[in-house]
Amino acid sequence: MIVISSSLLPDLNKEQQDKRGEPIISFSYDNTLEETDSAMKTFQHRFASKKGKLALAAYALLSVAVIGGIFLNPSNVPLYFAFVFCAFGFFYSLTDKSRMRKKILTALKDMNPEEYRCTIYPEKIEVETIIKPKENEVSVKIDEDKDEEIITPLKTVFKFGDDLLNFDENGDSLLLIFNRRQIYCFPKRCLSKEQQDTVRDFLYKKLETES
């Protein structure tokens, strides 16, 4: 009987674990205001609010009813006020998405610039955020013995199967959507054609199997 020591055999489980721990792709990127606005438009189109559509339909029907009342009774002054109210409500609901985007973009203009690094693993996605000082902002070093300031990135981790993730794309960027509320915009200008194909193919297939 021949006994083979287990120490001489390759640790297949360890090799599989190491392989699972290797990233599929990793890339750095930043976002312009134009790319952010384009990403929000794509997000709003895909996850259009039913409440907004109902509000538009309601104001449109009320406007038609009020116009009919004015046509039948032109001397009824309150109907004119009702028509102005309906028209304002319809316009306000129609421009709600653009006003929301403008508000967010205005806030982003006042924030410090950020750089990101996305690393996609077989079972998770990590996004690191590095907040940089503004051009006219003075940076204070705590440790003056060091030549360079150490910036600790903020890391966000998404796990496939646990977090609600969606993937979309427009002409400018690849979009990772978290919980149908938050967008991570990967600009195509920051990725090569091969990197875009890798991200696109993996996320489409992965999120389709997880759904």
Side-chain angles (χ1 to χ4, degrees), residues 15-205:
E15 289 182 2
Q16 291 176 355
Q17 289 175 359
D18 291 341
K19 188 175 182 180
R20 285 198 300 267
E22 294 178 356
I24 294 173
I25 188 173
S26 184
F27 55 90
S28 299
Y29 66 97
D30 58 5
N31 295 136
T32 65
L33 293 178
E34 291 76 14
E35 290 164 346
T36 302
D37 186 45
S38 177
M40 287 190 291
K41 287 180 181 178
T42 303
F43 172 82
Q44 290 174 337
H45 178 73
R46 177 168 180 177
F47 300 101
S49 172
K50 293 182 179 180
K51 183 179 178 181
K53 290 182 178 180
L54 290 175
L56 286 173
Y59 283 120
L61 291 174
L62 286 174
S63 297
V64 172
V66 171
I67 292 173
I70 294 175
F71 180 77
L72 296 174
N73 188 7
S75 61
N76 192 337
V77 177
L79 288 177
Y80 293 93
F81 288 101
F83 176 74
V84 173
F85 172 79
C86 292
F88 176 79
F90 183 85
F91 176 78
Y92 189 86
S93 299
L94 187 64
T95 59
D96 183 59
K97 294 179 181 179
S98 61
R99 284 186 289 103
M100 182 183 299
R101 293 197 308 272
K102 184 177 180 180
K103 182 178 180 180
I104 294 175
L105 293 176
T106 300
L108 290 176
K109 288 180 180 179
D110 297 330
M111 294 175 60
N112 287 30
E114 296 179 346
E115 291 184 352
Y116 310 90
R117 183 164 190 83
C118 176
T119 306
I120 301 179
Y121 296 88
E123 303 301 328
K124 65 180 180 179
I125 299 176
E126 293 182 354
V127 179
E128 293 180 322
T129 303
I130 300 176
I131 302 175
K132 302 171 60 180
K134 296 180 180 179
E135 294 182 357
N136 59 348
E137 187 175 72
V138 177
S139 177
V140 179
K141 297 181 180 179
I142 298 177
D143 189 351
E144 296 185 356
D145 294 335
K146 296 183 179 180
D147 296 331
E148 296 182 357
E149 181 183 8
I150 298 176
I151 302 177
T152 303
L154 305 175
K155 181 182 292 185
T156 304
V157 180
F158 304 101
K159 293 184 178 180
F160 297 115
D162 294 338
D163 296 314
L164 178 59
L165 301 175
N166 296 94
F167 177 73
D168 209 333
E169 180 179 0
N170 59 27
D172 300 320
S173 308
L174 305 175
L175 307 175
L176 178 69
I177 302 171
F178 170 62
N179 205 26
R180 299 186 178 180
R181 291 179 178 272
Q182 191 171 356
I183 315 169
Y184 287 81
C185 175
F186 307 145
K188 294 180 180 179
R189 61 178 172 81
C190 298
L191 287 80
S192 66
K193 179 65 167 56
E194 291 75 17
Q195 288 177 318
Q196 294 177 36
D197 291 339
T198 299
V199 173
R200 183 186 298 108
D201 294 342
F202 175 76
L203 289 182
Y204 267 133
K205 294 177 181 177

